[in-house]
Amino acid sequence: MNNENRLREEICWLGASLFQRGYTVGSAGNISARLDDGWLITPTDACLGRLDPAKIAKVNSKGEWISGDKPSKTLLLHRQIYDRNASVNGVVHTHSTNLVNLTLQGVWSRPSILPPLTPYQVMKVGRIPLIDYDRPGSDAVAAQIAELANQVNGVMLERLGPVIWGKTVSSACFALEELEETAKLWMQSDKKPSPLPESAVRELSEVFSIKW
């Protein structure tokens, strides 16, 4: 099995896993993976729980659709990340319930939607900024993400959900899951817990070479 086929299988497996555990529902969300000659991206309005490897869209390095079903309407958003951060090989976007609810109830701050609560949140995810609401697929949102592609490991789209990127599709998915579970802890806490001390965040940042 060549690298492209392995990535197609990985996207399908991860999509099904996210769907089955409620990280996304219906036809919401999208996943992409970098190739040597472009990238793969889930089709528009596809259910992540029922992806067909052969139907995943393939686009060239210019973002032009060359095979598979029609690409997700967030194609430009994904391209902005890949074009600006050579270390990124996977991007995942979901409409995860607790994170969307966080934007409805009020985030901790615009530069960081959640405080640093757990070591794995700091180590695996890092600081996630908020991007104001705009329609799905908006060019303006894609432009804002382009400016952040090398500064953070993801963003939170107000009322829509997280967009997380990483060195692999799997690592991006795992980071997204960690972020959603941290939002769940925060939203379910009647008395909001204190953030980790600055010294602890600084140590984690230095030891694990993460962005906060």
Side-chain angles (χ1 to χ4, degrees), residues 5-188:
N5 287 339
R6 283 196 299 270
L7 285 172
R8 288 178 181 272
E9 295 289 347
E10 183 178 10
I11 289 171
C12 291
W13 181 85
L14 290 167
S17 178
L18 290 171
F19 183 82
Q20 290 163 6
R21 291 177 295 137
Y23 286 94
T24 190
V25 298
S27 61
N30 41 77
I31 302 173
S32 69
R34 188 194 294 271
L35 299 171
D36 291 339
D37 56 349
W39 67 91
L40 301 171
I41 187 166
T42 50
T44 187
D45 295 327
C47 173
L48 295 190
R50 295 191 293 274
L51 294 171
D52 180 343
K55 293 184 177 181
I56 292 175
K58 182 176 181 179
V59 299
N60 63 22
S61 57
K62 296 179 180 179
E64 298 166 337
W65 176 26
I66 57 177
S67 67
D69 287 352
K70 184 179 180 181
S72 166
K73 55 183 166 288
T74 60
L75 178 63
L76 178 60
L77 180 155
H78 289 251
R79 182 185 177 187
Q80 295 283 27
I81 298 166
Y82 289 122
D83 283 354
R84 285 161 178 78
N85 191 330
S87 69
V88 172
N89 292 303
V91 180
V92 183
H93 169 53
T94 65
H95 298 183
S96 302
T97 303
N98 289 287
L99 284 163
V100 174
N101 189 30
L102 176 66
T103 70
L104 299 176
Q105 302 298 325
V107 299
W108 186 59
S109 72
R110 292 186 59 80
S112 181
I113 61 169
L114 287 163
L117 296 175
T118 70
Y120 270 78
Q121 172 205 0
V122 175
M123 293 160 53
K124 301 294 185 180
V125 187
R127 177 181 66 85
I128 301 296
L130 179 71
I131 290 184
D132 289 339
Y133 173 78
D134 204 336
R135 62 167 177 78
S138 163
D139 290 355
V141 168
Q144 291 179 67
I145 289 176
E147 296 179 1
L148 295 166
N150 282 289
Q151 299 178 33
V152 291
N153 298 319
V155 299
M156 181 66 199
L157 307 182
E158 183 183 7
R159 296 176 181 261
L160 287 173
V163 180
I164 306 295
W165 46 91
K167 293 182 179 179
T168 66
V169 182
S170 290
S171 66
C173 277
F174 299 157
L176 186 148
E177 293 172 38
E178 189 71 38
L179 184 64
E180 169 68 1
E181 291 306 305
T182 306
K184 184 177 180 180
L185 287 172
W186 180 255
M187 296 302 295
Q188 290 183 350

